[in-house]
Amino acid sequence: AAEAARAYPEAVRWWGEVAAAGAPDAPAALARAADLIDGELAFLDVARLAESLPPASPVLPTVIMKLVRIRLHLHDLAGAREAATTLLQRWPASSWAAPAKEVLARLDRLGLVHPEVLGVAVPLSGPYQRWGEVIVQAITLALGEGSPIHLAVRDTRGEPDGAAAALDALVLDDGAIAVVGGVTNAEAARAAEAAVELQIPLVTLAKQAGVADAGPWVFQDMLTARAQARALAELFMDRRGLRRFGLLFPSIPYGVELANAFWDEVEARGGEIRAVETYATDRTTFTPLVKSMVGKLYLDEREEYATAAKEIARTEEDPFRRRKALERLRDGLAPIVDFDAILIADFAPRVKLIAPALQVEDVVTDTCEPEEVERIRKATGRDDLRPVQLLGGNGWGGDPSLFDLSPGGAGRAVRCAVYVDGFFAGSSRPETRRFADAYQRRYGATPTILEASAFDAAGMILAVEAAGAATRDAVRDGLSRLVGFRGATGDITMGPDRTPRKALFYLTVGKDGLREMTPEELAATPAGTR
């Protein structure tokens, strides 16, 4: 009757009565009670049963074991220990005694911390093996010679289950005080969940936004789309006063995330997105997309074109001459440029195709060269000509040939463009320069943002330990309060969402190629910008 009424706590109590009566079906009654306890009871139901069942009830050990598991799930380790200890003391012969012992042994190992052990959970096999290898190199560099801290490194294989197993081993077997890891988007969320469950500080190197939302034990030290969008909006809207933008991006996570984040930033600051074009990642022809952005694809919708085309049709009877006249009309039609800047949220190989397509359609992007803009204005007779600022994210930095200014080089189409990144090995910033030089000397390679972020992640943990943190709780609290840590990727202050607040690197294509923008350029509106 209790089950039929869905009064499951009462049903458990009655199944206990059946089992206590010693009937032949007592084992079946206990099994049914266990099913209800495991599948139907909420936390409060279990807690109330633990308090209200008679001490001799045969189902009480099952209820207590369920309480242990719930408290573990809620990360109430002290409560789980208390319940497991109670179960062992009162029912040492119960079938739940062995699981309770396992829980207590695990909790004992969770509490064993070696402050001199820094955990690293990265892919050391599979398609992302190289990522893991360079991360370990960068962290080793951060430790320096003769450091009392040593690394415990575990392979995640770049997979969710591998990340969870790696965190488990680093805590239970190695006693690490903190972990750097969670690199790929596939493994980051699971690594964060494991860190919260195990209550160990994790500094993740994943670029996926929201990873740190898993809980107070998870920190993030990697450039996100949101940070890039914010940096671009701060410079070009807050400081330079641009209000109208166009977007070009591929239908892949990188492009979609960056474009959406920038769109949000623009609207939050009172600006507007005037043109949007998205495309497949394997697209190689961008002229139609650019024509669509600037009103040169569907010409019949433009009143001046429709009026002139009708006049040509009325006055020119010869078909050949009529066709040529329409071609001249199309070619001479000025683009409709009702935006101040275009964000190309893509990687370098496609930027090399998109930027020239803009120039072909007479979109002038030489915003840092007022003399060139004036020359084009006079040559075309376009008194209303408006130069358009090209913007990009860190995907632009993957191919140096994008900034090649030699005759025929792709760099000529992106002159004056600005993109943001979380690291620039050629920066004049002292801390960045020291790291880049040291990494080059030791490993014979130029570091990327991945190595720099790993270096900083380890450096932040080491700095917190050097300030006296010797427990996982203390390291977590120290990271939460971190202010002005001078890392390779910038001066890092940990925000309330446990993601870093730091200035990004603004890069532009000047007369001599790619360079870092100067403080003067970042503070003022450059000549020629409207």
Side-chain angles (χ1 to χ4, degrees):
E3 284 201 38
R6 297 182 181 274
Y8 295 119
E10 278 298 293
V12 169
R13 185 177 67 81
W14 279 112
W15 283 120
E17 293 286 339
V18 172
D25 56 354
L30 286 175
R32 180 58 187 158
D35 289 342
L36 293 177
I37 292 168
D38 193 49
E40 301 294 348
L41 299 190
F43 172 47
L44 288 179
D45 294 329
V46 175
R48 287 172 184 146
L49 276 176
E51 295 292 332
S52 63
L53 282 174
S57 173
V59 299
L60 192 50
T62 306
V63 171
I64 298 297
M65 192 64 209
K66 180 64 175 181
L67 194 60
V68 170
R69 290 171 173 163
I70 290 174
R71 293 198 180 281
L72 285 174
H73 178 71
L74 296 175
H75 314 303
D76 178 9
L77 304 187
R81 180 182 292 277
E82 180 183 359
T85 301
T86 298
L87 196 158
L88 273 177
Q89 289 174 346
R90 293 178 59 181
W91 299 280
S94 164
S95 61
W96 294 114
K101 288 180 180 178
E102 291 177 1
V103 168
L104 289 174
R106 181 178 176 85
L107 291 174
D108 287 340
R109 293 161 68 195
L110 280 174
L112 183 62
V113 179
H114 299 298
E116 74 281 3
V117 177
L118 174 61
V120 181
V122 292
L124 294 175
S125 60
Y128 302 104
Q129 177 178 344
R130 184 55 186 160
W131 289 12
E133 292 171 346
V134 299
I135 288 170
V136 173
Q137 288 179 348
I139 294 175
T140 301
L141 185 64
L143 295 184
E145 298 294 335
S147 172
I149 307 296
H150 67 267
L151 301 183
V153 183
R154 297 284 180 166
D155 182 13
T156 66
R157 306 187 306 277
E159 301 171 354
D161 290 345
L167 266 290
D168 211 58
L170 287 168
V171 172
L172 299 178
D173 298 335
D174 302 316
I177 193 168
V179 176
V180 177
V183 183
T184 70
N185 288 349
E187 68 181 2
R190 187 65 189 93
E193 291 174 5
V196 174
E197 177 185 339
L198 297 164
Q199 298 194 356
I200 184 170
L202 169 68
V203 182
T204 174
L205 300 176
K207 62 183 178 181
Q208 182 179 4
V211 175
D213 294 343
W217 296 90
V218 184
F219 302 82
Q220 191 168 16
D221 184 39
M222 180 51 73
L223 181 66
T224 63
R226 188 182 306 161
Q228 296 176 70
R230 186 188 304 120
L232 288 170
E234 285 175 353
L235 175 59
F236 288 100
M237 296 189 72
D238 298 349
R239 300 181 213 171
R240 297 192 177 181
L242 305 190
R243 314 306 301 167
R244 305 178 304 170
F245 299 87
L247 290 175
L248 277 161
F249 62 96
S251 52
I252 58 175
Y254 174 84
V256 173
E257 289 174 10
L258 181 53
N260 286 342
F262 185 69
W263 199 325
D264 290 343
E265 291 290 339
V266 169
E267 290 190 340
R269 288 169 166 78
E272 57 182 326
I273 301 296
R274 300 299 298 268
V276 178
E277 297 291 339
T278 187
Y279 48 87
T281 186
D282 59 351
R283 188 181 185 105
T284 57
T285 304
F286 291 92
T287 297
L289 294 181
V290 173
K291 284 181 177 291
S292 177
M293 287 191 78
V294 298
K296 296 180 71 173
L297 185 61
Y298 305 107
L299 297 178
D300 291 340
E301 297 178 1
R302 292 183 59 168
E303 182 178 353
E304 71 272 32
Y305 175 82
T307 300
K310 287 179 181 179
E311 181 64 18
I312 290 173
R314 186 184 68 81
T315 59
E316 187 58 74
E317 297 181 357
D318 182 75
F320 176 77
R321 291 182 177 178
R322 187 186 309 129
R323 186 171 69 253
K324 288 296 183 182
L326 288 172
E327 288 177 0
R328 288 193 297 272
L329 174 61
R330 285 194 297 270
D331 293 341
L333 203 63
I336 298 175
V337 181
D338 58 353
F339 38 77
D340 306 310
I342 298 174
L343 171 64
I344 306 177
D346 206 341
F347 294 99
R350 282 181 294 277
V351 177
K352 289 194 291 186
L353 302 175
I354 296 171
L358 288 167
Q359 292 187 332
V360 168
E361 298 306 322
D362 299 325
V363 178
V364 178
T365 58
D366 296 322
T367 56
C368 61
E369 298 182 344
E371 298 83 1
E372 179 63 14
V373 173
E374 186 60 31
R375 185 192 66 78
I376 296 173
R377 184 179 286 118
K378 290 180 179 179
T380 60
R382 292 166 54 190
D383 293 335
D384 61 344
L385 184 146
R386 296 177 58 87
V388 175
Q389 176 69 59
L390 291 186
L391 309 177
N394 71 318
W396 282 38
D399 183 356
S401 67
L402 174 61
F403 314 112
D404 177 14
L405 294 175
S406 63
R412 293 175 177 266
V414 292
R415 282 275 289 115
C416 306
V418 173
Y419 78 92
V420 291
D421 209 331
F423 175 72
F424 180 50
S427 174
S428 58
R429 184 174 171 275
E431 293 80 9
T432 304
R433 183 77 266 146
R434 279 197 295 271
F435 163 71
D437 290 345
Y439 192 92
Q440 178 71 44
R441 285 193 304 269
R442 184 157 184 174
Y443 300 113
T446 300
T448 69
I449 188 173
L450 183 60
E451 294 94 311
S453 297
F455 180 86
D456 284 352
M460 289 188 291
I461 295 171
L462 295 174
V464 168
E465 283 205 78
T471 66
R472 290 173 183 149
D473 285 350
V475 171
R476 177 202 59 198
D477 295 344
L479 289 173
S480 298
R481 296 191 296 264
L482 193 71
V483 175
F485 174 78
R486 300 184 70 81
T489 61
D491 293 352
I492 300 172
T493 294
M494 198 60 66
D497 58 353
R498 296 175 303 285
T499 62
R501 298 290 185 267
K502 56 186 174 183
L504 299 188
F505 295 80
Y506 291 90
L507 308 171
T508 189
V509 185
K511 293 181 179 180
D512 299 319
L514 184 66
R515 65 173 177 83
E516 190 175 15
M517 295 180 71
T518 66
E520 292 74 22
E521 290 174 310
L522 296 175
T525 300
T529 299
R530 295 186 176 186

